[in-house]
Structure formats: structure tokens, C-alpha cells
Amino acid sequence: MRYSTFRTFKSFIDSKKLEVLEFGCSDGQMTEMIANCVKSIDVVDGSIRFIQKAKERNISNANYYHSLFEEFRPTKKYDAIFATYVLTHIPDLALFFSVIRQCLKADGVLFIAVPNSRVLSRQLAVHMGLLKDLFFLSENDINHGHCRCYDRVRLNRDIEQNGFYSIAQGGIILKPLADFQMDKLIELDILKGEQMEGIYKLGLEYPDLSAAIFSICKAQ
């Protein structure tokens, strides 16, 4: 998912001169891919464990800040900000977007990706009686720290209500089955490179059935 997300964003990262900010680094995989395409990347994460994992990658042009997103105070403005798979974890979106506006240059670009509640696998789970509805927070969602679910309508609403507008949007990977089932198909070499390429392209064609949705935004 992270590689496919980066692949989707890469065509909008158009200069090695860019100074960018990333909210949330996990193990640093996305950080490393972005860093290879820009001048510098500053990373903010509330988990010192995640920061330590990312630092193990020895990314030469990365700087790390241990801070809650909402409490981060920038010392400069950035050409681009990446908020990938973090919006579902943010209790106070208005506060978070206010921090983003403080950090982003007037002509800067905001990259957002979130899990998609209308993904085909989730619709299947509803029909199987495993979920009450598409926007129900499952035990797995809650255990992963999610406090909301998104489809394209809800994502666009939150983006617009917080002072941004989308210049591009779509889906990332059409996903018919649960994560553990997809992982097993890859492990058994049933899903090969050509199939993975196909479901990536199908995600762009059918965003409402994809595993994740993305939006590339500018400030209003």
C-alpha cells in the first residue's frame, strides 16, 4: 500500500529542490521513498519508537521531531506536506489543519491518503454480517487507533471545511478481500506482479471500491 501510495503521489513531486514535511512516519518506508525525490524531509511523529525505526534507515536528508501533530510548531514553511493514513487517527481535525496551514507555503501542496470505507472487501463484510455498516468502527479499527471512517464524500467535506480544495483525487488498489487474505494470495504467489499492477490500475478506475482514497490539495 505504501509503495502504491507513493507511486500515485510521485508524479506531483516535481523537483529535487522541494523541502517537505511528513506527519507520521511508521517504520520510515514512505519517508525513505519521499526523501529520494526531494531536497529535504522533516518528519513529525508522536511515537519515539516509530522515529527510532525510521532513523535506522539512515536517510541522510531527513530530520525528525518527536511531537504530537497538533502541538508541532514549525520554524519554516514547506513546499509540500504529506499526511498519509493519519486523518482517521486525529481527534481534532480543525486543530490539525490549522497546523498544516501554518506549515505550508502559499503555493504548497498537501498530500492526503486514507483507508476507504467503501472498499469492496468492506462491502463484502457487510453482506456477510461481519460489519453493521460501511462506517462502523470495528474492533480492528479501534485497536489501530481509528476514530472515524472515510469515503470520498466525507473526505472532500473535511478537506473543504478546513480551508483546502482538491486538485486531484482517486483510489489506490482495488481490494476485493480482507488484508490477511490478500497477503496470503501474495505469499502463495497467486497474486503476481502483473495482477498487482492490474489491481493498482483498477483502483484508479474504480476509486470507490479501492483500499484507499487520496486527495492532492491546495489551500483555498
Side-chain angles (χ1 to χ4, degrees), residues 11-215:
S11 61
F12 293 86
I13 308 171
D14 59 1
S15 173
K16 289 285 285 185
K17 298 179 181 179
L18 295 180
E19 295 180 324
V20 308
L21 176 66
E22 181 185 33
F23 283 108
C25 61
S26 185
D27 63 1
Q29 182 186 19
M30 187 79 169
T31 308
E32 187 171 30
M33 289 187 287
I34 297 169
N36 288 331
C37 297
V38 300
K39 178 181 178 182
S40 66
I41 180 168
D42 288 353
V43 179
V44 180
D45 204 297
S47 168
I48 193 66
R49 182 172 64 89
F50 282 162
I51 288 176
Q52 289 169 343
K53 289 290 290 182
K55 282 184 173 180
E56 290 175 5
R57 294 177 178 268
N58 296 314
I59 305 168
S60 61
N61 58 340
N63 301 297
Y64 300 90
Y65 299 88
H66 181 216
S67 170
L68 295 177
F69 300 158
E70 301 91 331
E71 296 176 359
F72 179 65
R73 296 297 176 263
T75 58
K76 63 180 180 181
K77 298 276 190 177
Y78 296 90
D79 299 296
I81 295 176
F82 294 82
T84 54
Y85 305 106
V86 298
L87 287 193
T88 53
H89 300 270
I90 305 294
D92 189 337
L93 279 181
L95 180 57
F96 180 53
F97 273 98
S98 72
V99 173
I100 289 175
R101 288 195 298 272
Q102 292 172 39
C103 297
L104 192 62
K105 290 181 179 179
D107 59 347
V109 179
L110 171 62
F111 295 85
I112 292 173
V114 295
N116 177 26
S117 284
R118 295 189 183 276
V119 58
L120 189 56
S121 60
R122 198 171 177 95
Q123 296 196 42
L124 177 60
V126 171
H127 284 282
M128 292 171 64
L130 300 176
L131 288 178
K132 292 180 181 179
D133 60 63
L134 293 177
F135 298 100
F136 175 73
L137 286 173
S138 67
E139 183 178 350
N140 185 55
D141 292 325
I142 294 169
N143 288 341
H144 283 83
H146 293 190
C147 55
R148 67 177 59 80
C149 296
Y150 278 114
D151 62 0
R152 283 200 293 167
V153 173
R154 293 186 178 201
L155 180 59
N156 287 339
R157 178 197 62 198
D158 280 351
I159 288 170
E160 291 167 6
Q161 287 181 351
N162 287 284
F164 286 82
Y165 67 95
S166 178
I167 59 172
Q169 60 179 283
I172 303 170
I173 296 184
L174 188 138
K175 186 169 80 74
L177 300 172
D179 289 348
F180 76 92
Q181 294 168 318
M182 297 292 288
D183 289 343
K184 193 65 177 178
L185 291 174
I186 294 171
E187 178 188 331
L188 295 173
D189 206 27
I190 295 171
L191 276 180
K192 301 178 186 291
E194 55 267 32
Q195 284 89 15
M196 294 302 297
E197 177 68 13
I199 61 175
Y200 172 78
K201 291 179 178 177
L202 282 170
L204 298 174
E205 190 170 351
Y206 300 103
D208 293 324
L209 302 179
S210 64
I213 45 179
F214 73 87
S215 185

